[in-house]
């Protein structure tokens, strides 16, 4: 038992006894309490300290603190290290504790939701966290579900239940579930059985583990700290050797003076002690204040993100939120964005925008929001648009010519709208106020039925045998004779109805590429005209459907219906026979026109995608939607464009097929044997092509890759993933459709592992959590689909469009500021510290400090801390508007140009040069020199004050040169720090302080004496000029001979207009060789049989069936087909998703 508890074995089956907790407890199933937090009260301190001391710098400073506690080797007091170390660790611990507190609070919010559980034969209120596997739970309409459940019974007919999974995947369209036949009659209420709880639920299984994220600069700083420590050790060894030599050659002459006994202290032991003494003295090469400053700067950047009013979504009062303070600069280095579609790029609101009827285009906008109830008042006519209330969510159609055609009785227009009102799977019911409420299985159908309603053809009700439509105020009942359901192969649906005049008609809608092949030859001219309209619609990113009908002969239909009944009763090849009969009757159709529906994008998506593409950021769409829908949205938001050379579609069903398609696509990508069909590449050749790692640079033109989830599963196998990655990274855009949450994370991990690029994942649903956790940066959209994505994210935004400002402004500025901060910090500390190294050669390697001990303590904490913080927090090279207008400015962060190992060595060289000037200029100047009063001034204390004063002035002038954006705070901090230095210097060297602390402040009166000498100020000026002028000359020549883009923009910025140029939507250009279909239809197979079986309809007022011709379906066939053919339906509810029943 001890060993088995360490690793839980995978379950092959789960045995559960309903309403029997004692029996189920012996299997030790997980409880329903969720834990997304990292710590508790007992584990916080040890785990947090362990995480913090994983930082090399923290461990380094702890080691120095131990050394400083040894009096034989320490020339500095221990508090100079322990105070800043404790400060850094405490600040970080408080931040981590605060973050985890909010995780605990969100966990408690979910865990404490109430449910009704059957306990001891009666329903009792119970918290969701106390629900056990096997409990029977009563659910009500619009209730949240926080476990995976098995539906037992429902108040709907035949145990049906409609589920909204918006909080799981962002989808607001309803999914149907049916209870088991043996339990469906248990009661009139909705009851269910808890099947998987807590960490065993699908949501938690796919969420992945919370990972400790570090930026690339953090990782580089760890490496640099190790290098600096190695450099420090080398310096210590050199000085230790020098001490041993000096002790053996010169030091013995001082032993009598120092009261040493002969042989008491050998030169080797002296060198050993000197080594550790210099390790302590030179530790300021990487002071602890570096990490304090980094945390403060990151905190400031986070507040800027939170306070940015341009990322505040007023409609829902949602500001942007930086949920972590450790990743800000990495926002300026993003190379790949992995985005969800539904709820992230789109609003999942369908808008009926245009239609083509009998060769004429009608344009306008009729809104349909599937997340809202579709309601109309029975007393009002549907065509009375101005009279409808706001709550009905019906908008004006701007093209009034369509309204005129309806009023004039145009038969083609009437037939077109009649088809929209008849050919669908929408269910209607009346609420208590006498209003119609539409329940839609797909938002596309909701938009089309709502459009027909808005133009006077109102779908009122249906039975298994009839459909009732109110046509311009007149109720008309059609006999439903057959329903030819949609599937992904047919890409169309049809209904066969008999109108009151006795005429039988087939109405069909579907993909234009499929339906046009079924048209009667007499439609040739209309087909050409409608094709042009569809190309126009597709070019605008609209989702299109072709609309056609056929008048059927009674005798022909009866024969066909008998054949269909036989096919339905067949035990072998049933599906094939039914499909053949569908093909038989869906021919010689008469074209009516086409519809164009917009899957409404989030505001600003197109501009954001275009701008991020100009910033050389590649955008990959990872979605669970169908291929056609994903491609259509890709075109709508400019991730895919008609100007692309090719869009490669990978649909292989085996690993071999996928590999061949990927390699064939790579051949075509280099222009070999390229063949196009409707904008997609056909894979004809089986030849394989291996590409080296530099192949990406050889690609000319823009390409895109589309791959479905089934093919992706094979492509992610170890022997195929390299082919996938090579092709995908050579494409400008990638669309992965029908992918699972786990596959989303796997794609992100694949790019992270092999491309060494910074990745960002953005999503709004619980199915995006795993992807968000896997990426370097995770962003949650705080929309209406729940908070799972936000809770798992590093940053929360209300809209996708704010991503542009987050990256191009805040991300770029954070990276720019952090890099300037690090360059300056390493420079000033090498300049400050290495003076001790040069001084060692003149003090007998005695580990004596060249500065006053208080100056060493206060230099990084007081004298130079605030100016560098001001630069790190407020500095900017160009304005936020120019950062948005010129996305190419983002490129230095992607290439890591502003701070890398090369830049680090340049900063070190600059610091070494400054330290040489700081030491040897005053050394040479003070050598054998007398002051103005004739007294000798070349004493140690005057020398130390001159160097300290020169150092403060030099680094202050240097940061003034480094500052690009001046604020009042910069002026106060820089010049105030210089003034503070002189104030403290004069105070510490005063007689009053000496009298109080005679042993702590020995430099009594030296400051007044030294600074009153003109000679000293000339030395300070000479050091400043010698240190700064080479930098000024280099920067001047570089700016005018080799200016960067930011240099040019900064030069033009004052003359540039503040007004941002108006960005027009990119014109859609189409290749003349082919027409791209805009077909996309978010529908699932099986609803036709569900409707005609009547199992989803209440039997309150059964309609008469005498004389009606109807199809005879097997009573269970519809649900069998639904389960068999719909691969993306899940049997249970995932953890904490919205279940609207």
């Amino acid at each position: 038992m001890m060993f088995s508890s360490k690793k839980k074995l995978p379950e092959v089956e789960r045995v559960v006894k309903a309403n029997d907790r004692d029996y189920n407890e012996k299997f030790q199933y997980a409880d329903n309490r969720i834990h997304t937090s990292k710590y508790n009260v007992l584990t916080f301190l040890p785990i947090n300290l362990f995480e913090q001391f994983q930082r090399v710098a923290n461990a380094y400073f702890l080691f120095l603190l131990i050394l400083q506690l040894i009096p034989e080797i320490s020339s500095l007091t221990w508090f100079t290290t322990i105070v800043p170390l404790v400060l850094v660790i405490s600040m970080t611990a408080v931040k981590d504790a605060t973050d985890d507190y909010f995780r605990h609070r969100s966990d408690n919010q979910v865990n404490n939701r109430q449910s009704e559980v059957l306990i001891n034969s009666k329903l009792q209120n119970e918290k969701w966290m106390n629900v056990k596997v096997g409990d029977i739970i009563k659910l009500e309409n619009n209730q949240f579900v926080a476990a995976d459940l098995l539906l037992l019974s429902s108040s709907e007919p035949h145990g049906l239940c409609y589920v909204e999974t918006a909080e799981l995947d962002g989808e607001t369209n309803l999914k149907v579930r049916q209870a088991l036949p043996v339990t469906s009659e248990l009661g009139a209420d909705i009851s269910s059985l808890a099947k998987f709880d807590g960490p065993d639920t699908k949501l938690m299984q796919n969420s992945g583990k919370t990972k400790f994220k570090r930026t690339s600069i953090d990782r580089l700083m760890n490496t640099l700290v190790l290098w600096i420590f190695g450099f420090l050790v080398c310096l210590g060894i050199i000085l230790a050797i020098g001490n041993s030599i000096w002790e053996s050659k010169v030091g013995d002459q001082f032993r009598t003076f120092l009261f040493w006994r002969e042989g008491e202290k050998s030169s080797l032991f002296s060198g050993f002690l000197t080594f550790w003494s210099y390790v302590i003295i030179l530790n300021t090469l990487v002071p602890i204040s570096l990490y304090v400053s980094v945390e403060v700067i990151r905190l400031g950047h986070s507040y800027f993100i939170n306070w940015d009013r341009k990322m505040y979504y007023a409609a829902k009062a949602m500001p942007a939120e930086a949920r972590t303070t450790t990743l800000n600069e990495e926002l300026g280095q993003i190379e790949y964005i992995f985005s969800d579609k539904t709820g992230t790029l789109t609003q999942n609101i369908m808008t009926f925008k245009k239609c083509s009827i009998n060769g004429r285009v009608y344009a306008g906008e009729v809104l349909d929001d599937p997340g809202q109830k579709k309601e109309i008042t029975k007393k009002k006519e549907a065509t009375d648009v101005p009279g409808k209330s706001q709550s009905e969510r019906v908008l004006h159609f701007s093209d009034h010519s369509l309204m005129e055609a309806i009023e004039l009785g145009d038969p083609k227009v009437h037939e077109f709208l009649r088809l929209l009102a008849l050919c669908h799977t929408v269910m209607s019911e009346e609420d208590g106020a006498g209003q119609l409420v539409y329940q839609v299985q797909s938002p596309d159908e909701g938009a089309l039925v709502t459009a027909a309603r808005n133009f006077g053809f109102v779908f009122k009700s249906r039975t298994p045998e009839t459909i009732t439509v109110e046509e311009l105020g007149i109720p008309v009942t059609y006999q439903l004779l057959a329903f030819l359901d949609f599937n992904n192969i047919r890409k169309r649906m049809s209904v066969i109805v008999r109108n009151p005049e006795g005429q039988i008609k087939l109405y069909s809608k579907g993909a234009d590429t499929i339906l046009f092949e079924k048209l009667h030859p007499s439609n040739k001219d209309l087909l050409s005209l409608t094709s042009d309209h569809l190309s126009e619609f597709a070019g605008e990113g609209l989702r299109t459907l072709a609309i056609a009908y056929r008048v059927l002969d009674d005798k022909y239909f009866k024969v066909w219906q008998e054949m269909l009944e036989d096919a339905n009763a067949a035990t072998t090849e049933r599906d094939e026979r039914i499909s053949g009969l569908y093909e038989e009757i869906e021919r010689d159709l008469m074209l009516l026109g086409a519809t164009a529906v917009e899957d409404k994008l989030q505001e600003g998506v197109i501009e954001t995608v275009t701008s991020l593409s100009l910033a050389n950021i590649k955008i990959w769409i990872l979605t669970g939607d169908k291929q056609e829908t994903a491609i259509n949205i890709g075109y709508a938001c400019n991730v895919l464009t008609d100007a692309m050379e090719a869009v490669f579609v990978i649909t292989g069903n085996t690993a071999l097929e996928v590999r061949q398609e990927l390699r064939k696509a790579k051949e075509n990508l280099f222009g070999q044997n390229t063949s196009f069909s409707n904008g997609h590449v056909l894979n004809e050749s089986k030849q394989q092509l291996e590409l080296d790692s530099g192949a990406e640079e050889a690609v000319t033109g823009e390409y895109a890759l589309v791959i479905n989830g089934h093919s992706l599963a094979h492509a992610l196998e170890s022997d195929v993933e390299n082919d996938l990655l090579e092709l995908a990274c050579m494409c400008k855009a990638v669309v992965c459709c029908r992918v699972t949450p786990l596959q989303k994370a796997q794609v992100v991990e694949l790019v992270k592992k092999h491309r060494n690029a910074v990745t960002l994942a953005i999503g709004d649903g619980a199915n995006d959590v795993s992807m968000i956790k896997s990426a370097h940066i995770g962003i949650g959209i705080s929309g209406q689909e729940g908070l799972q994505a936000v809770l798992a994210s590093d940053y929360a935004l209300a809209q996708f469009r704010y991503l542009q400002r987050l990256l191009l402004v805040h991300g770029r500025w954070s990276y720019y500021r952090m890099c300037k901060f690090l360059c300056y910090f390493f420079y000033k500390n090498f300049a400050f510290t290495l003076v001790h190294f040069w001084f060692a050669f003149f003090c007998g390697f005695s580990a004596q400090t060249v500065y006053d001990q208080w100056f060493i303590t206060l230099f990084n904490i007081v004298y130079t801390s605030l100016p560098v913080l001001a630069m790190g927090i407020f500095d900017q090279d160009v304005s936020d508007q120019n950062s948005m207008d010129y996305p190419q400015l983002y490129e230095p962060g992607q290439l890591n140009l502003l701070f890398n190992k090369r830049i680090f060595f340049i900063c070190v060289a600059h610091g070494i040069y400054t330290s040489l000037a700081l030491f040897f200029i005053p050394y040479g100047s003070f050598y054998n020199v007398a002051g103005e009063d004739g007294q000798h001034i070349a004493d140690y204390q005057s020398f130390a004050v001159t160097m300290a004063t020169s150092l403060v002035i030099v680094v202050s002038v240097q940061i003034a040169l480094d500052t690009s954006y001046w604020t009042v705070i910069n002026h106060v901090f820089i010049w105030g720090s210089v003034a503070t230095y002189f104030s403290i210097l004069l105070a510490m060297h005063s007689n009053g302080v000496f009298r109080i602390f005679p042993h702590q402040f020995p430099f009594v009166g030296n400051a007044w004496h030294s600074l009153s000498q003109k000679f000293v100020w000339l030395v300070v000026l000479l050091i400043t000029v010698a240190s700064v002028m080479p930098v000024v000359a280099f920067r001047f020549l570089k700016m005018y001979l080799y200016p960067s883009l930011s240099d040019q923009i900064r030069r033009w910025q004052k003359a540039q207009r503040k007004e941002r140029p108006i960005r027009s939507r990119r014109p859609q250009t189409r290749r003349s060789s082919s027409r791209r279909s805009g077909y996309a239809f978010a529908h699932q197979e099986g609803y036709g049989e569900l409707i005609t079986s009547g199992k989803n309809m209440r039997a309150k007022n059964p309609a008469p069936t005498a004389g009606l011709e109807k199809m005879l379906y097997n009573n269970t066939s519809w649900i069998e087909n639904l389960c068999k053919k719909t691969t993306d339906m899940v049997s249970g509810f995932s953890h904490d998703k919205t279940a609207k029943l």
Side-chain angles (χ1 to χ4, degrees), residues 958-971:
Q958 182 64 50
I959 199 170
L961 292 175
D962 289 345
T963 301
S964 303
Y965 182 76
W966 284 90
T967 65
V968 175
I969 296 176
N970 292 86
H971 282 289

Side-chain angles (χ1 to χ4, degrees), residues 957-1021:
V957 173
Q958 182 64 50
I959 199 170
L961 292 175
D962 289 345
T963 301
S964 303
Y965 182 76
W966 284 90
T967 65
V968 175
I969 296 176
N970 292 86
H971 282 289
V972 171
F973 282 2
I974 292 175
W975 314 125
S977 294
V978 175
T980 300
Y981 163 72
F982 284 108
S983 301
I984 295 177
L985 177 68
L986 295 174
M988 288 195 303
H989 290 197
S990 66
N991 291 330
V993 174
F994 175 74
R995 291 192 187 101
I996 300 172
F997 305 104
H999 299 290
Q1000 301 297 328
F1001 298 96
F1003 282 36
V1004 57
N1006 183 267
W1008 290 102
H1009 175 73
S1010 299
L1011 298 180
S1012 63
Q1013 304 284 336
K1014 296 178 182 178
F1015 174 79
V1016 171
W1017 286 106
L1018 288 174
V1019 171
V1020 171
L1021 178 62

Side-chain angles (χ1 to χ4, degrees), residues 627 631 647-652 661 679-681 683 704-707:
Q627 179 175 299
I631 292 175
V647 177
F648 304 111
V649 181
I650 308 300
T651 58
E661 290 183 14
H680 305 312
V681 175
N683 300 306
L705 172 67
V706 178
I707 184 169

